[in-house]
Amino acid sequence: LNPNYQGEPSEPEVFSEDNLPEGIELIPMPGHAWQMVGVKTEDNVIFLADSIMSEETWAEHKLPFFNDVNGSIETLEMVKELEADMFIASHAQPMENITALADLNITRLKERKQLLYELCNENSADELFLLFMKELDIDVQSNRYQTYYVMMRHYLQALIDDKLIEGEFNGL
């Protein structure tokens, strides 16, 4: 794993609807990670986990990690409809209204999908990756190379799911 993404080891607790404290509600938020959830508390605060990124995060990373790009867009559309007194995300400041930031994230995800779509042609995956990184002004020598490569593949999967391109697996 990339050392930038390794945390201290910890013992996880398994939560389900059956063992949640009273007043706590789990909200499915697929996209950034499989089976990711947000949490709504009894005092009307929603913790959005990694489902949404600040403008500063987008500026710094240019291609934040989203495991399922289309799932993230669907989650962000759902987040815009949530009602709470406060929204707290892992990668943004707490805020009372999340709509504008959700719209920004949707826009950034769709922009990157469109860019990759426009770059798709007869290039190999490696050539496409270099073009995509160049257009996003991302240093491919960075220690995030593998993460960026995986992210490009997730955007390609979104384009395949949208039936905008056809995917073919040619081995490892």
Side-chain angles (χ1 to χ4, degrees):
L1 286 175
N2 184 322
N4 291 322
Y5 299 109
Q6 291 183 12
E8 293 296 320
S10 63
E11 290 296 320
E13 291 185 43
V14 177
F15 289 101
S16 72
E17 296 293 335
D18 298 332
N19 67 352
L20 287 177
E22 190 174 323
I24 300 294
E25 175 187 344
L26 297 181
I27 304 167
M29 295 191 170
H32 173 78
W34 288 300
Q35 298 183 350
M36 189 175 76
V37 295
V39 177
K40 184 173 184 177
T41 62
E42 63 186 344
D43 57 349
N44 207 28
V45 174
I46 296 179
F47 292 84
L48 299 168
D50 290 332
S51 64
I52 195 164
M53 307 291 161
S54 69
E55 192 166 0
E56 295 79 16
T57 300
W58 280 101
E60 180 182 348
H61 296 288
K62 299 176 186 165
L63 198 62
F65 187 85
F66 290 94
N67 191 53
D68 176 356
V69 174
N70 288 340
S72 292
I73 292 169
E74 290 172 14
T75 291
L76 290 161
E77 292 289 356
M78 179 270 301
V79 163
K80 292 183 342 182
E81 303 301 318
L82 294 175
E83 293 184 15
D85 293 334
M86 184 66 61
F87 294 92
I88 300 176
S90 300
H91 301 282
Q93 293 296 316
M95 58 188 63
E96 294 176 4
N97 187 327
I98 201 70
T99 303
L101 188 56
D103 282 335
L104 172 85
N105 278 254
I106 292 166
T107 298
R108 294 288 184 270
L109 288 164
K110 288 181 176 181
E111 285 171 349
R112 279 144 182 80
K113 275 177 61 175
Q114 182 62 33
L115 172 62
L116 191 57
Y117 176 72
E118 291 170 3
L119 294 172
C120 283
N121 56 35
E122 298 298 318
N123 291 317
S124 70
D126 289 335
E127 292 166 333
L128 181 59
F129 174 72
L130 292 174
L131 289 170
F132 192 43
M133 294 300 100
K134 181 179 178 184
E135 288 294 322
L136 292 173
D137 194 30
I138 294 175
D139 178 11
V140 293
Q141 302 305 316
S142 79
N143 60 359
R144 295 186 180 123
Y145 178 92
Q146 290 177 327
T147 302
Y148 288 136
Y149 196 85
V150 168
M151 277 308 308
M152 180 197 72
R153 307 285 294 214
H154 291 176
Y155 278 89
L156 286 171
Q157 185 61 53
L159 294 171
I160 292 168
D161 293 346
D162 292 345
K163 303 205 182 330
L164 294 172
I165 63 172
E166 292 182 11
E168 181 179 303
F169 181 71
N170 291 322
L172 300 176

